[in-house]
């Protein structure tokens, strides 16, 4: 089997591999990621934990009820001397005691500490939801970074396979021309070398495509990477910079988390201040006691049941400065969060402007590359016609062929770079999850 036959079979095998694979659209990719991605699943588990913590059962508002029970058993040796001189001795005298009780404790007032702590748990739940949203947004950006890589390598592979077919046709023509004495063996060898190079490029791109598909399957939470992705999408050229910039100052996920931390710290200050106030509690007990006494006792058996209740007040007049320190530190933390918010607003505006410039520049590059590919196609078609009639040599034809291939690869790269930069702008403005993919 010669090299030409081997390469034809190899390329046929490559073409057959791509047949009958499932096509995953961008929206389907997002849906699969939201359902199966392990990072998102873990963040959802964190939300469930925060939700449990923010419920009434963890608030401290409900009373506590405890049950106690016990028993004792005694064997005593007793010697009793009475006033009239009589002496009574008991050996191995048995006695036993049994008790059971229910104890109720309920805090009526604790300086509003538990009320603020309950509100703080609610806000921490909201913060956890925002953190889960941030995980989702970052995962979607990661998803499309890989998704567009798969699409790019798929398109590159098609362009390279088309280039290989052209190179094969050129080799066939060169062999015929050599047989009829119209060119030298060197022209045939050059054509064979170009086929080898094109085949190596296809093998390399195929490997890159397979590796990237595995990366995409991992993000999708799938074990099978036997799928294709869509290469057809529209670039949204209607984004309004001023509107998105204003939204980034109110909807950006990092900013929302900082604002939520400010709310939590304000509640922390109020909760810590509750240490200055007294605590009033309600206590109640229902008890049962039974005593089986030995013979030395005046009462052989006694059984008591009873209900008791009361109110207690506790006021920590001075705790060594712990409460004062906690309040001061909470105020410092609040001031820190406010400073972080101011810094973050500047950072968001800077990042947004950078992302917007990157987006507009990549849109422009894509348009330029689209014009360039039209020029390269026109140049190649003219060169091909001249090559067929012998007006250009194989080196000039090959150069036109490579110029067209490079233009196609650069246009594909520019297209997906522009689309990804568009998603980054939407993420910074807080609109990523409101986008139709």
């Amino acid at each position: 089997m010669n090299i030409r036959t081997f390469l034809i079979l190899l390329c046929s095998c490559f073409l057959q591999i791509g047949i009958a694979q499932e096509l995953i659209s961008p929206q389907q990719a997002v849906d699969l990621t939201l359902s199966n991605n392990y990072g998102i699943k873990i963040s959802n588990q964190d939300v469930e934990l925060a939700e449990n913590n923010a419920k009434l059962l963890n608030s401290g508002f409900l009373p506590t009820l405890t049950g106690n029970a016990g028993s004792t058993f005694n064997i005593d040796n007793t010697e009793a001397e009475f006033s009239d001189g009589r002496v009574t001795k008991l050996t191995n005298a048995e006695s036993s005691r049994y008790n059971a009780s229910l104890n109720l404790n309920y805090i009526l007032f604790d300086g509003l500490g538990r009320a603020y702590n309950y509100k703080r748990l609610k806000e921490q739940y909201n913060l956890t939801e925002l953190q889960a949203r941030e995980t989702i947004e970052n995962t979607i950006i990661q998803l499309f970074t890989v998704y567009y890589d798969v699409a790019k390598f798929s398109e590159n592979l098609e362009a390279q396979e088309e280039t290989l077919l052209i190179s094969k046709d050129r080799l066939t023509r060169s062999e015929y021309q050599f047989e009829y004495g119209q060119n030298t063996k060197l022209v045939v060898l050059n054509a064979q070398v170009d086929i080898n190079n094109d085949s190596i490029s296809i093998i390399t791109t195929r490997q890159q495509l397979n590796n990237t598909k595995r990366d995409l399957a991992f993000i999708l939470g799938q074990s099978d990477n036997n799928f294709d992705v869509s290469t057809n999408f529209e670039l949204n050229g209607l984004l309004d910079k001023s509107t998105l910039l204003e939204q980034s100052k109110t909807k950006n996920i990092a900013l929302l988390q900082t604002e939520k931390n400010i709310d939590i710290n304000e509640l922390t200050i109020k909760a810590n201040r509750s240490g200055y106030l007294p605590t009033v509690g309600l206590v109640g007990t229902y008890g049962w006691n039974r005593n089986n006494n030995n013979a030395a006792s005046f009462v052989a058996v006694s059984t008591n049941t009873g209900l008791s209740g009361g109110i207690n007040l506790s006021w920590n007049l001075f705790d060594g400065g712990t409460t004062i320190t906690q309040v001061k530190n909470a105020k410092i933390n609040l001031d820190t969060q406010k400073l972080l918010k101011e810094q973050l607003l500047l950072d968001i505006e800077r990042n947004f402007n950078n992302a917007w410039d990157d987006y507009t520049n990549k849109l422009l590059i894509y348009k330029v590359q689209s014009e360039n590919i039209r020029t390269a196609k026109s140049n190649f078609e003219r060169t091909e016609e001249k090559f067929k009639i012998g007006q250009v040599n194989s080196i000039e034809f090959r150069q036109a062929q490579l110029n067209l291939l490079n233009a196609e690869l650069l246009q594909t790269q520019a297209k997906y770079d522009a689309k990804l930069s568009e998603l980054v702008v939407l993420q910074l403005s807080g609109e990523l999850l409101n986008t139709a993919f």
Side-chain angles (χ1 to χ4, degrees):
M1 181 185 295
N2 57 33
I3 184 65
R4 179 182 172 188
T5 305
F6 170 74
L7 291 173
I8 292 174
L9 292 175
L10 180 63
C11 293
S12 298
C13 179
F14 283 154
L15 291 172
Q16 291 174 359
I17 290 176
I19 297 176
Q21 290 187 337
E22 179 186 1
L23 179 66
I24 297 180
S25 68
Q27 186 59 56
Q28 288 174 326
V30 171
D31 293 339
L32 286 172
T33 300
L34 293 177
S35 300
N36 301 322
N37 182 269
Y38 287 99
I40 293 178
K41 285 183 176 180
I42 292 172
S43 66
N44 289 335
Q45 294 286 84
D46 293 336
V47 172
E48 287 188 27
L49 289 174
E51 184 179 12
N52 289 335
N53 289 334
K55 289 182 178 179
L56 187 63
L57 292 174
N58 192 45
S59 65
F61 278 105
L62 300 179
T64 60
L65 182 64
T66 58
N68 298 295
S71 65
T72 58
F73 183 78
N74 298 325
I75 298 178
D76 301 313
N77 295 321
T78 304
E79 181 177 329
E81 183 176 350
F82 296 94
S83 58
D84 58 1
R86 289 181 297 109
V87 175
T88 300
K89 293 183 178 180
L90 296 176
T91 303
N92 296 328
E94 297 181 359
S95 63
S96 58
R97 296 180 179 85
Y98 304 94
N99 64 84
S101 65
L102 289 175
N103 302 297
L104 175 71
N105 288 276
Y106 183 62
I107 297 176
L108 298 175
F109 178 76
D110 66 344
L112 299 178
R114 61 182 173 179
Y116 291 123
N117 282 329
Y118 186 43
K119 291 180 180 179
R120 183 170 59 181
L121 290 173
K122 292 286 187 182
E123 294 299 334
Q124 286 175 339
Y125 165 69
N126 294 331
L127 176 61
T128 307
E129 281 194 320
L130 292 174
Q131 292 169 343
R133 175 185 152 187
E134 182 180 33
T135 299
I136 292 173
E137 288 186 1
N138 291 336
T139 303
I140 288 177
I141 293 295
Q142 181 188 16
L143 164 68
F144 280 108
T145 300
V146 180
Y147 186 95
Y148 292 148
D149 277 345
V150 174
K152 177 186 69 177
F153 288 130
S154 298
E155 290 196 43
N156 289 350
L157 188 61
E158 291 179 5
Q160 290 168 341
E161 287 173 345
E162 184 178 352
T163 299
L164 178 60
L165 292 175
I166 294 172
S167 296
K168 289 178 183 178
D169 181 67
R170 174 186 155 207
L171 176 61
T172 301
R173 289 178 176 274
S174 299
E175 289 176 337
Y176 285 145
Q177 290 172 348
F178 175 72
E179 290 176 3
Y180 289 100
Q182 295 179 358
N183 60 28
T184 65
K185 185 66 175 177
L186 180 62
V187 175
V188 176
L189 293 176
N190 285 335
Q192 289 178 338
V193 169
D194 290 337
I195 286 180
N196 292 341
N197 290 333
D198 291 342
S199 301
I200 291 172
S201 296
I202 289 176
I203 293 171
T204 302
T205 303
R206 171 64 67 180
Q207 183 62 51
Q208 291 174 324
L209 177 60
N210 289 336
N211 290 345
T212 312
K213 279 188 174 182
R214 294 187 189 99
D215 293 338
L216 180 58
F218 177 77
I219 296 174
L220 297 176
Q222 306 292 309
S223 58
D224 182 18
N225 65 336
N226 187 32
F227 54 78
D228 288 324
V229 300
S230 175
T231 58
N232 298 320
F233 60 87
E234 295 294 331
L235 285 168
N236 190 349
L238 301 177
L239 299 181
D240 182 73
K241 180 181 179 180
S242 59
T243 300
L244 291 176
L245 179 58
E246 288 304 313
Q247 288 178 342
S248 69
K249 296 178 181 180
T250 57
K251 295 183 178 181
N252 181 274
I253 189 61
L255 179 63
L256 293 176
Q257 290 183 68
T258 301
E259 291 175 342
K260 194 57 61 180
N261 280 322
I262 290 175
D263 295 338
I264 291 173
N265 276 276
E266 288 176 342
L267 291 171
T268 300
I269 293 174
K270 294 177 180 179
N272 289 339
R273 283 175 176 166
S274 67
Y276 295 136
L277 299 175
T279 298
V280 179
L282 174 68
V283 295
T285 301
Y286 178 79
W288 172 84
N289 294 275
R290 178 184 176 86
N291 296 323
N292 297 319
N293 301 313
N294 56 35
S297 300
F298 293 104
V299 179
V301 178
S302 65
T303 302
N304 298 319
T305 57
L307 179 66
S308 64
I311 295 178
N312 56 42
L313 181 145
S314 174
W315 197 338
N316 195 344
L317 299 177
F318 182 69
D319 60 0
T322 300
T323 300
I324 295 174
T325 303
Q326 289 176 343
V327 172
K328 287 183 177 179
N329 288 342
K331 289 180 178 179
I332 293 173
N333 289 332
L334 176 60
D335 292 338
T336 300
Q337 291 297 325
K338 290 180 178 179
L339 290 173
L340 288 174
K341 179 182 177 180
E342 295 177 7
Q343 181 188 40
L344 185 59
L345 284 170
L346 292 176
D347 190 43
I348 289 173
E349 185 172 2
R350 180 197 62 178
N351 290 339
F352 179 85
N353 287 325
N354 289 343
W356 181 263
D357 289 345
D358 183 63
Y359 166 64
T360 54
N361 288 337
K362 285 179 177 175
L363 273 181
L364 180 60
I365 291 172
Y366 174 62
K367 292 178 181 178
V368 171
Q369 292 295 347
S370 298
E371 292 291 333
N372 188 41
I373 199 170
R374 282 191 284 268
T375 302
K377 281 183 178 179
S378 176
N379 178 64
F380 174 74
E381 289 171 356
R382 293 182 181 183
T383 304
E384 187 178 31
E385 291 298 323
K386 291 183 179 181
F387 176 72
K388 289 178 180 179
I389 61 177
Q391 292 184 357
V392 298
N393 58 36
S394 60
I395 295 177
E396 293 172 321
F397 176 80
R398 178 64 175 178
Q399 187 60 52
Q401 183 187 21
L402 291 179
N403 288 342
L404 176 59
L405 175 62
N406 289 333
E408 290 174 337
L409 299 182
L410 289 173
Q411 185 205 34
T412 301
Q413 181 70 52
K415 178 174 67 172
Y416 293 113
D417 284 347
K419 188 61 179 178
L420 187 60
S421 65
E422 175 188 304
L423 295 181
V424 172
V425 170
L426 293 172
Q427 181 190 23
L428 288 171
S429 63
E431 290 295 320
L432 181 62
L433 301 183
N434 299 326
T435 303
F437 295 101

PDB file of all heavy atoms in Angstrom, residues 76-90:
ATOM      1  N   ASP A  76     -28.038  -1.187 103.118  1.00  0.00           N
ATOM      2  CA  ASP A  76     -27.413  -0.547 104.281  1.00  0.00           C
ATOM      3  C   ASP A  76     -27.427  -1.471 105.500  1.00  0.00           C
ATOM      4  O   ASP A  76     -28.342  -2.282 105.680  1.00  0.00           O
ATOM      5  CB  ASP A  76     -28.164   0.750 104.635  1.00  0.00           C
ATOM      6  CG  ASP A  76     -28.171   1.736 103.498  1.00  0.00           C
ATOM      7  OD1 ASP A  76     -27.092   1.959 102.904  1.00  0.00           O
ATOM      8  OD2 ASP A  76     -29.267   2.288 103.194  1.00  0.00           O
ATOM      9  N   ASN A  77     -26.404  -1.296 106.324  1.00  0.00           N
ATOM     10  CA  ASN A  77     -26.374  -1.883 107.674  1.00  0.00           C
ATOM     11  C   ASN A  77     -26.619  -0.738 108.656  1.00  0.00           C
ATOM     12  O   ASN A  77     -25.826   0.193 108.734  1.00  0.00           O
ATOM     13  CB  ASN A  77     -25.034  -2.552 107.954  1.00  0.00           C
ATOM     14  CG  ASN A  77     -24.805  -3.749 107.045  1.00  0.00           C
ATOM     15  OD1 ASN A  77     -25.736  -4.505 106.767  1.00  0.00           O
ATOM     16  ND2 ASN A  77     -23.573  -3.922 106.587  1.00  0.00           N
ATOM     17  N   THR A  78     -27.731  -0.810 109.404  1.00  0.00           N
ATOM     18  CA  THR A  78     -28.154   0.312 110.240  1.00  0.00           C
ATOM     19  C   THR A  78     -28.292  -0.138 111.701  1.00  0.00           C
ATOM     20  O   THR A  78     -28.822  -1.201 111.974  1.00  0.00           O
ATOM     21  CB  THR A  78     -29.514   0.872 109.749  1.00  0.00           C
ATOM     22  OG1 THR A  78     -29.393   1.237 108.379  1.00  0.00           O
ATOM     23  CG2 THR A  78     -29.953   2.074 110.586  1.00  0.00           C
ATOM     24  N   GLU A  79     -27.769   0.714 112.591  1.00  0.00           N
ATOM     25  CA  GLU A  79     -27.945   0.495 114.029  1.00  0.00           C
ATOM     26  C   GLU A  79     -28.621   1.732 114.586  1.00  0.00           C
ATOM     27  O   GLU A  79     -28.059   2.825 114.528  1.00  0.00           O
ATOM     28  CB  GLU A  79     -26.596   0.268 114.714  1.00  0.00           C
ATOM     29  CG  GLU A  79     -26.740   0.004 116.210  1.00  0.00           C
ATOM     30  CD  GLU A  79     -25.400  -0.288 116.876  1.00  0.00           C
ATOM     31  OE1 GLU A  79     -24.514  -0.852 116.174  1.00  0.00           O
ATOM     32  OE2 GLU A  79     -25.243   0.072 118.048  1.00  0.00           O
ATOM     33  N   ALA A  80     -29.829   1.559 115.161  1.00  0.00           N
ATOM     34  CA  ALA A  80     -30.607   2.678 115.684  1.00  0.00           C
ATOM     35  C   ALA A  80     -30.787   2.527 117.189  1.00  0.00           C
ATOM     36  O   ALA A  80     -31.185   1.478 117.665  1.00  0.00           O
ATOM     37  CB  ALA A  80     -31.969   2.746 115.007  1.00  0.00           C
ATOM     38  N   GLU A  81     -30.462   3.569 117.958  1.00  0.00           N
ATOM     39  CA  GLU A  81     -30.616   3.560 119.419  1.00  0.00           C
ATOM     40  C   GLU A  81     -31.715   4.553 119.784  1.00  0.00           C
ATOM     41  O   GLU A  81     -31.639   5.727 119.461  1.00  0.00           O
ATOM     42  CB  GLU A  81     -29.304   3.957 120.098  1.00  0.00           C
ATOM     43  CG  GLU A  81     -29.400   3.887 121.620  1.00  0.00           C
ATOM     44  CD  GLU A  81     -28.085   4.185 122.286  1.00  0.00           C
ATOM     45  OE1 GLU A  81     -27.055   4.263 121.535  1.00  0.00           O
ATOM     46  OE2 GLU A  81     -28.058   4.356 123.506  1.00  0.00           O
ATOM     47  N   PHE A  82     -32.750   4.040 120.507  1.00  0.00           N
ATOM     48  CA  PHE A  82     -33.886   4.880 120.844  1.00  0.00           C
ATOM     49  C   PHE A  82     -33.659   5.530 122.208  1.00  0.00           C
ATOM     50  O   PHE A  82     -32.755   5.163 122.964  1.00  0.00           O
ATOM     51  CB  PHE A  82     -35.176   4.051 120.856  1.00  0.00           C
ATOM     52  CG  PHE A  82     -35.508   3.505 119.477  1.00  0.00           C
ATOM     53  CD1 PHE A  82     -35.083   2.231 119.111  1.00  0.00           C
ATOM     54  CD2 PHE A  82     -36.244   4.264 118.578  1.00  0.00           C
ATOM     55  CE1 PHE A  82     -35.389   1.742 117.864  1.00  0.00           C
ATOM     56  CE2 PHE A  82     -36.550   3.753 117.333  1.00  0.00           C
ATOM     57  CZ  PHE A  82     -36.124   2.481 116.954  1.00  0.00           C
ATOM     58  N   SER A  83     -34.533   6.470 122.551  1.00  0.00           N
ATOM     59  CA  SER A  83     -34.392   7.230 123.811  1.00  0.00           C
ATOM     60  C   SER A  83     -34.599   6.364 125.053  1.00  0.00           C
ATOM     61  O   SER A  83     -34.121   6.677 126.138  1.00  0.00           O
ATOM     62  CB  SER A  83     -35.387   8.408 123.832  1.00  0.00           C
ATOM     63  OG  SER A  83     -36.718   7.924 123.699  1.00  0.00           O
ATOM     64  N   ASP A  84     -35.339   5.280 124.891  1.00  0.00           N
ATOM     65  CA  ASP A  84     -35.568   4.408 126.065  1.00  0.00           C
ATOM     66  C   ASP A  84     -34.485   3.359 126.213  1.00  0.00           C
ATOM     67  O   ASP A  84     -34.596   2.442 127.023  1.00  0.00           O
ATOM     68  CB  ASP A  84     -36.941   3.730 125.952  1.00  0.00           C
ATOM     69  CG  ASP A  84     -37.065   2.908 124.674  1.00  0.00           C
ATOM     70  OD1 ASP A  84     -36.067   2.862 123.889  1.00  0.00           O
ATOM     71  OD2 ASP A  84     -38.141   2.330 124.438  1.00  0.00           O
ATOM     72  N   GLY A  85     -33.444   3.489 125.412  1.00  0.00           N
ATOM     73  CA  GLY A  85     -32.319   2.575 125.539  1.00  0.00           C
ATOM     74  C   GLY A  85     -32.362   1.389 124.620  1.00  0.00           C
ATOM     75  O   GLY A  85     -31.418   0.596 124.582  1.00  0.00           O
ATOM     76  N   ARG A  86     -33.455   1.210 123.918  1.00  0.00           N
ATOM     77  CA  ARG A  86     -33.531   0.079 123.000  1.00  0.00           C
ATOM     78  C   ARG A  86     -32.620   0.326 121.789  1.00  0.00           C
ATOM     79  O   ARG A  86     -32.486   1.437 121.310  1.00  0.00           O
ATOM     80  CB  ARG A  86     -34.970  -0.128 122.528  1.00  0.00           C
ATOM     81  CG  ARG A  86     -35.894  -0.660 123.614  1.00  0.00           C
ATOM     82  CD  ARG A  86     -37.322  -0.881 123.093  1.00  0.00           C
ATOM     83  NE  ARG A  86     -37.950   0.347 122.658  1.00  0.00           N
ATOM     84  CZ  ARG A  86     -38.207   0.652 121.389  1.00  0.00           C
ATOM     85  NH1 ARG A  86     -37.910  -0.220 120.417  1.00  0.00           N
ATOM     86  NH2 ARG A  86     -38.779   1.798 121.068  1.00  0.00           N
ATOM     87  N   VAL A  87     -32.059  -0.752 121.331  1.00  0.00           N
ATOM     88  CA  VAL A  87     -31.162  -0.699 120.172  1.00  0.00           C
ATOM     89  C   VAL A  87     -31.692  -1.668 119.119  1.00  0.00           C
ATOM     90  O   VAL A  87     -31.992  -2.825 119.432  1.00  0.00           O
ATOM     91  CB  VAL A  87     -29.706  -1.063 120.548  1.00  0.00           C
ATOM     92  CG1 VAL A  87     -28.835  -1.106 119.299  1.00  0.00           C
ATOM     93  CG2 VAL A  87     -29.174  -0.079 121.572  1.00  0.00           C
ATOM     94  N   THR A  88     -31.811  -1.153 117.912  1.00  0.00           N
ATOM     95  CA  THR A  88     -32.271  -1.978 116.787  1.00  0.00           C
ATOM     96  C   THR A  88     -31.189  -1.996 115.715  1.00  0.00           C
ATOM     97  O   THR A  88     -30.655  -0.952 115.333  1.00  0.00           O
ATOM     98  CB  THR A  88     -33.574  -1.427 116.178  1.00  0.00           C
ATOM     99  OG1 THR A  88     -34.586  -1.414 117.197  1.00  0.00           O
ATOM    100  CG2 THR A  88     -34.028  -2.289 115.005  1.00  0.00           C
ATOM    101  N   LYS A  89     -30.884  -3.197 115.274  1.00  0.00           N
ATOM    102  CA  LYS A  89     -29.884  -3.344 114.210  1.00  0.00           C
ATOM    103  C   LYS A  89     -30.549  -3.949 112.968  1.00  0.00           C
ATOM    104  O   LYS A  89     -31.306  -4.895 113.051  1.00  0.00           O
ATOM    105  CB  LYS A  89     -28.740  -4.242 114.661  1.00  0.00           C
ATOM    106  CG  LYS A  89     -27.893  -3.654 115.778  1.00  0.00           C
ATOM    107  CD  LYS A  89     -26.728  -4.573 116.123  1.00  0.00           C
ATOM    108  CE  LYS A  89     -25.858  -3.974 117.214  1.00  0.00           C
ATOM    109  NZ  LYS A  89     -24.710  -4.863 117.550  1.00  0.00           N
ATOM    110  N   LEU A  90     -30.253  -3.342 111.820  1.00  0.00           N
ATOM    111  CA  LEU A  90     -30.725  -3.847 110.532  1.00  0.00           C
ATOM    112  C   LEU A  90     -29.516  -4.195 109.673  1.00  0.00           C
ATOM    113  O   LEU A  90     -28.574  -3.394 109.524  1.00  0.00           O
ATOM    114  CB  LEU A  90     -31.579  -2.804 109.798  1.00  0.00           C
ATOM    115  CG  LEU A  90     -32.897  -2.408 110.477  1.00  0.00           C
ATOM    116  CD1 LEU A  90     -33.571  -1.294 109.665  1.00  0.00           C
ATOM    117  CD2 LEU A  90     -33.805  -3.608 110.609  1.00  0.00           C
TER     118      LEU A  90
END
